[in-house]
PDB file of all heavy atoms in Angstrom:
ATOM      1  N   SER A 106     218.870-105.633 209.659  1.00 96.00           N
ATOM      2  CA  SER A 106     220.011-104.769 209.951  1.00 96.00           C
ATOM      3  C   SER A 106     221.320-105.526 209.807  1.00 96.00           C
ATOM      4  O   SER A 106     222.289-105.012 209.240  1.00 96.00           O
ATOM      5  CB  SER A 106     219.914-104.217 211.371  1.00 96.00           C
ATOM      6  OG  SER A 106     218.781-103.414 211.504  1.00 96.00           O
ATOM      7  N   GLU A 107     221.347-106.743 210.313  1.00 95.00           N
ATOM      8  CA  GLU A 107     222.558-107.554 210.225  1.00 95.00           C
ATOM      9  C   GLU A 107     222.916-107.843 208.766  1.00 95.00           C
ATOM     10  O   GLU A 107     224.082-107.740 208.361  1.00 95.00           O
ATOM     11  CB  GLU A 107     222.367-108.862 210.991  1.00 95.00           C
ATOM     12  CG  GLU A 107     223.610-109.730 211.001  1.00 95.00           C
ATOM     13  CD  GLU A 107     223.425-111.020 211.786  1.00 95.00           C
ATOM     14  OE1 GLU A 107     222.277-111.409 212.048  1.00 95.00           O
ATOM     15  OE2 GLU A 107     224.454-111.623 212.125  1.00 95.00           O
ATOM     16  N   LYS A 108     221.908-108.180 207.967  1.00 94.00           N
ATOM     17  CA  LYS A 108     222.148-108.432 206.543  1.00 94.00           C
ATOM     18  C   LYS A 108     222.688-107.182 205.851  1.00 94.00           C
ATOM     19  O   LYS A 108     223.606-107.266 205.030  1.00 94.00           O
ATOM     20  CB  LYS A 108     220.860-108.890 205.850  1.00 94.00           C
ATOM     21  CG  LYS A 108     220.448-110.291 206.205  1.00 94.00           C
ATOM     22  CD  LYS A 108     219.159-110.670 205.498  1.00 94.00           C
ATOM     23  CE  LYS A 108     218.687-112.047 205.907  1.00 94.00           C
ATOM     24  NZ  LYS A 108     217.421-112.403 205.258  1.00 94.00           N
ATOM     25  N   ALA A 109     222.142-106.018 206.183  1.00 93.00           N
ATOM     26  CA  ALA A 109     222.588-104.763 205.570  1.00 93.00           C
ATOM     27  C   ALA A 109     224.034-104.450 205.948  1.00 93.00           C
ATOM     28  O   ALA A 109     224.824-104.028 205.104  1.00 93.00           O
ATOM     29  CB  ALA A 109     221.669-103.626 205.986  1.00 93.00           C
ATOM     30  N   LEU A 110     224.379-104.649 207.208  1.00 92.00           N
ATOM     31  CA  LEU A 110     225.732-104.333 207.654  1.00 92.00           C
ATOM     32  C   LEU A 110     226.766-105.296 207.081  1.00 92.00           C
ATOM     33  O   LEU A 110     227.943-104.950 206.973  1.00 92.00           O
ATOM     34  CB  LEU A 110     225.797-104.315 209.187  1.00 92.00           C
ATOM     35  CG  LEU A 110     225.097-103.128 209.833  1.00 92.00           C
ATOM     36  CD1 LEU A 110     225.062-103.301 211.343  1.00 92.00           C
ATOM     37  CD2 LEU A 110     225.769-101.824 209.453  1.00 92.00           C
ATOM     38  N   ASN A 111     226.340-106.484 206.699  1.00 93.00           N
ATOM     39  CA  ASN A 111     227.256-107.437 206.071  1.00 93.00           C
ATOM     40  C   ASN A 111     227.549-107.072 204.624  1.00 93.00           C
ATOM     41  O   ASN A 111     228.498-107.586 204.039  1.00 93.00           O
ATOM     42  CB  ASN A 111     226.698-108.860 206.157  1.00 93.00           C
ATOM     43  CG  ASN A 111     226.831-109.434 207.551  1.00 93.00           C
ATOM     44  OD1 ASN A 111     227.717-109.056 208.300  1.00 93.00           O
ATOM     45  ND2 ASN A 111     225.935-110.341 207.896  1.00 93.00           N
ATOM     46  N   GLU A 112     226.742-106.182 204.053  1.00 87.00           N
ATOM     47  CA  GLU A 112     226.993-105.698 202.700  1.00 87.00           C
ATOM     48  C   GLU A 112     227.978-104.535 202.778  1.00 87.00           C
ATOM     49  O   GLU A 112     227.979-103.761 203.722  1.00 87.00           O
ATOM     50  CB  GLU A 112     225.693-105.232 202.035  1.00 87.00           C
ATOM     51  CG  GLU A 112     224.713-106.354 201.794  1.00 87.00           C
ATOM     52  CD  GLU A 112     223.465-105.886 201.070  1.00 87.00           C
ATOM     53  OE1 GLU A 112     223.528-104.872 200.362  1.00 87.00           O
ATOM     54  OE2 GLU A 112     222.441-106.550 201.230  1.00 87.00           O
ATOM     55  N   VAL A 113     228.810-104.421 201.767  1.00 85.00           N
ATOM     56  CA  VAL A 113     229.873-103.430 201.784  1.00 85.00           C
ATOM     57  C   VAL A 113     229.343-102.002 201.688  1.00 85.00           C
ATOM     58  O   VAL A 113     229.931-101.078 202.238  1.00 85.00           O
ATOM     59  CB  VAL A 113     230.864-103.715 200.622  1.00 85.00           C
ATOM     60  CG1 VAL A 113     231.947-102.658 200.552  1.00 85.00           C
ATOM     61  CG2 VAL A 113     231.472-105.090 200.785  1.00 85.00           C
ATOM     62  N   ILE A 114     228.196-101.797 201.046  1.00 90.00           N
ATOM     63  CA  ILE A 114     227.756-100.426 200.752  1.00 90.00           C
ATOM     64  C   ILE A 114     227.165 -99.680 201.948  1.00 90.00           C
ATOM     65  O   ILE A 114     227.078 -98.462 201.924  1.00 90.00           O
ATOM     66  CB  ILE A 114     226.750-100.395 199.580  1.00 90.00           C
ATOM     67  CG1 ILE A 114     225.494-101.187 199.913  1.00 90.00           C
ATOM     68  CG2 ILE A 114     227.401-100.882 198.315  1.00 90.00           C
ATOM     69  CD1 ILE A 114     224.382-101.011 198.892  1.00 90.00           C
ATOM     70  N   TYR A 115     226.777-100.380 203.005  1.00 92.00           N
ATOM     71  CA  TYR A 115     226.171 -99.704 204.161  1.00 92.00           C
ATOM     72  C   TYR A 115     227.189 -99.548 205.287  1.00 92.00           C
ATOM     73  O   TYR A 115     227.794-100.513 205.732  1.00 92.00           O
ATOM     74  CB  TYR A 115     224.951-100.477 204.673  1.00 92.00           C
ATOM     75  CG  TYR A 115     223.851-100.559 203.654  1.00 92.00           C
ATOM     76  CD1 TYR A 115     223.558-101.758 203.015  1.00 92.00           C
ATOM     77  CD2 TYR A 115     223.112 -99.442 203.301  1.00 92.00           C
ATOM     78  CE1 TYR A 115     222.556-101.832 202.058  1.00 92.00           C
ATOM     79  CE2 TYR A 115     222.118 -99.495 202.346  1.00 92.00           C
ATOM     80  CZ  TYR A 115     221.838-100.699 201.731  1.00 92.00           C
ATOM     81  OH  TYR A 115     220.860-100.762 200.786  1.00 92.00           O
ATOM     82  N   GLN A 116     227.350 -98.311 205.744  1.00 92.00           N
ATOM     83  CA  GLN A 116     228.264 -98.046 206.854  1.00 92.00           C
ATOM     84  C   GLN A 116     227.547 -98.046 208.202  1.00 92.00           C
ATOM     85  O   GLN A 116     228.161 -98.249 209.239  1.00 92.00           O
ATOM     86  CB  GLN A 116     228.957 -96.680 206.675  1.00 92.00           C
ATOM     87  CG  GLN A 116     229.976 -96.657 205.558  1.00 92.00           C
ATOM     88  CD  GLN A 116     229.350 -96.469 204.181  1.00 92.00           C
ATOM     89  OE1 GLN A 116     228.429 -95.695 204.020  1.00 92.00           O
ATOM     90  NE2 GLN A 116     229.842 -97.193 203.208  1.00 92.00           N
ATOM     91  N   ALA A 117     226.250 -97.796 208.183  1.00 94.00           N
ATOM     92  CA  ALA A 117     225.478 -97.733 209.426  1.00 94.00           C
ATOM     93  C   ALA A 117     224.027 -98.112 209.148  1.00 94.00           C
ATOM     94  O   ALA A 117     223.552 -97.996 208.020  1.00 94.00           O
ATOM     95  CB  ALA A 117     225.537 -96.342 210.024  1.00 94.00           C
ATOM     96  N   VAL A 118     223.347 -98.574 210.188  1.00 96.00           N
ATOM     97  CA  VAL A 118     221.929 -98.939 210.083  1.00 96.00           C
ATOM     98  C   VAL A 118     221.208 -98.379 211.298  1.00 96.00           C
ATOM     99  O   VAL A 118     221.718 -98.417 212.419  1.00 96.00           O
ATOM    100  CB  VAL A 118     221.747-100.470 210.011  1.00 96.00           C
ATOM    101  CG1 VAL A 118     220.279-100.854 210.044  1.00 96.00           C
ATOM    102  CG2 VAL A 118     222.398-101.039 208.759  1.00 96.00           C
ATOM    103  N   LEU A 119     220.024 -97.844 211.058  1.00 96.00           N
ATOM    104  CA  LEU A 119     219.186 -97.287 212.119  1.00 96.00           C
ATOM    105  C   LEU A 119     217.863 -98.035 212.144  1.00 96.00           C
ATOM    106  O   LEU A 119     217.273 -98.287 211.093  1.00 96.00           O
ATOM    107  CB  LEU A 119     218.950 -95.802 211.844  1.00 96.00           C
ATOM    108  CG  LEU A 119     217.968 -95.067 212.758  1.00 96.00           C
ATOM    109  CD1 LEU A 119     218.578 -94.918 214.152  1.00 96.00           C
ATOM    110  CD2 LEU A 119     217.641 -93.715 212.186  1.00 96.00           C
ATOM    111  N   ILE A 120     217.399 -98.377 213.337  1.00 97.00           N
ATOM    112  CA  ILE A 120     216.079 -98.989 213.496  1.00 97.00           C
ATOM    113  C   ILE A 120     215.184 -97.968 214.180  1.00 97.00           C
ATOM    114  O   ILE A 120     215.475 -97.524 215.298  1.00 97.00           O
ATOM    115  CB  ILE A 120     216.142-100.282 214.328  1.00 97.00           C
ATOM    116  CG1 ILE A 120     217.022-101.316 213.636  1.00 97.00           C
ATOM    117  CG2 ILE A 120     214.731-100.831 214.557  1.00 97.00           C
ATOM    118  CD1 ILE A 120     217.250-102.566 214.456  1.00 97.00           C
ATOM    119  N   LYS A 121     214.123 -97.567 213.493  1.00 96.00           N
ATOM    120  CA  LYS A 121     213.165 -96.600 214.033  1.00 96.00           C
ATOM    121  C   LYS A 121     211.901 -97.328 214.470  1.00 96.00           C
ATOM    122  O   LYS A 121     211.294 -98.039 213.673  1.00 96.00           O
ATOM    123  CB  LYS A 121     212.785 -95.555 212.985  1.00 96.00           C
ATOM    124  CG  LYS A 121     213.881 -94.627 212.573  1.00 96.00           C
ATOM    125  CD  LYS A 121     213.347 -93.626 211.575  1.00 96.00           C
ATOM    126  CE  LYS A 121     214.393 -92.663 211.085  1.00 96.00           C
ATOM    127  NZ  LYS A 121     213.839 -91.731 210.103  1.00 96.00           N
TER     128      LYS A 121
END
Side-chain angles (χ1 to χ4, degrees):
S106 297
E107 183 179 17
K108 287 179 183 178
L110 289 173
N111 285 333
E112 294 183 25
V113 177
I114 62 171
Y115 297 109
Q116 289 81 40
V118 174
L119 173 70
I120 299 174
K121 293 182 181 179

